[in-house]
Amino acid sequence: MSTELPSYMIPTDVAVLENMPLNVNGKIDRKALPEIEVAERTFRAPATPIEQIVAGVFGDLLGVDRVGRDDDFFALGGNSLVATRAAARLGAALDGDVPVRALFEASTVQTLAMRVEELAGTGSRTPLEARPRPNHVPLSLAQQRMWVINRIDPQSGAYNVPIAIRLSGVSMSMRSALRYGTWFFVTRFSGPSIPTARKVQLRRSCRSRRSTSGWIR
């Protein structure tokens, strides 16, 4: 059923009946359905080292003290946001690239351990590291869109948001910090420049910090 239906449509318990009780209109009489006797599930502790790792990640992220091999990640309170963190932790612990999709396709400790076992030792994603800023920075998709709109109508001020803020009780040191922050922002984030065939963002140098001193008084 899990291969054909979403998780919220899969029944937690199933009872076998010889005949469905019907009412006078020929529809199922829900009130006449017998109560399902739910058997208590026996706790099964994680059996393999990978199951122990998966259970430990579930317990840490979801705040559960004891997680068994039959426990479901979403039944314990997990969601899609926590699933991304769980996939990242499992990937770091197993030295493999564990996709978030694996938690949705195999959400119990036992089934997920079987899924990620083949990924263990394959190498995780390359960690992000700070690198020197290049002179020509490619534009993002949003910046490209704004660049095209500006080329179509250069006189448009649709994306200009003028605003004035009055600050009271600001000390000279705070004014200096604000002035420097404004100067740094202007010099670091300049707009795209010609030639237009190269959609890049050029970092222009500012000769003096005094260029922004007139904005803050």
Side-chain angles (χ1 to χ4, degrees), residues 23-77:
N23 54 23
V24 294
N25 297 323
K27 298 181 180 181
I28 298 176
D29 189 356
R30 298 180 180 272
K31 297 181 179 181
L33 290 173
E35 294 290 338
I36 299 179
E37 297 181 1
V38 181
E40 294 185 0
R41 181 177 298 177
T42 304
F43 175 82
R44 296 197 303 165
T48 65
I50 296 183
E51 288 184 359
Q52 294 176 2
I53 294 175
V54 175
V57 171
F58 284 10
D60 292 341
L61 294 178
L62 302 177
V64 180
D65 296 332
R66 190 177 70 164
V67 179
R69 64 187 311 195
D70 298 319
D71 289 334
D72 186 275
F73 175 77
F74 298 100
L76 294 176

Side-chain angles (χ1 to χ4, degrees), residues 53-54 57 83-100 103 112 116 119-125:
I53 294 175
V54 175
V57 171
T84 58
R85 298 173 58 191
R89 289 199 182 186
L90 289 174
L94 300 175
D95 189 24
D97 187 5
V98 178
V100 180
L103 277 87
L112 183 58
V116 301
L119 302 176
T122 58
S124 58
R125 296 180 180 179

Side-chain angles (χ1 to χ4, degrees), residues 111-123:
T111 56
L112 183 58
M114 296 173 58
R115 178 70 62 87
V116 301
E117 184 176 5
E118 58 187 15
L119 302 176
T122 58

Side-chain angles (χ1 to χ4, degrees), residues 183-206:
W183 169 84
F184 180 81
F185 182 83
V186 171
T187 56
R188 181 175 178 87
F189 300 99
S190 58
S193 301
I194 299 176
T196 57
R198 300 178 62 189
K199 297 179 180 178
V200 296
Q201 184 180 25
L202 301 183
R203 181 175 181 180
R204 300 168 181 167
S205 60
C206 185

Side-chain angles (χ1 to χ4, degrees), residues 15-28:
V16 180
L17 300 177
E18 295 182 359
N19 296 300
M20 297 294 292
L22 304 178
N23 54 23
V24 294
N25 297 323
K27 298 181 180 181
I28 298 176

Side-chain angles (χ1 to χ4, degrees), residues 166-185:
R166 181 185 298 274
L167 301 177
S168 59
V170 179
S171 61
M172 293 300 298
S173 59
M174 294 181 63
R175 291 187 181 182
S176 300
L178 183 59
R179 184 179 295 111
Y180 175 78
T182 306
W183 169 84
F184 180 81
F185 182 83

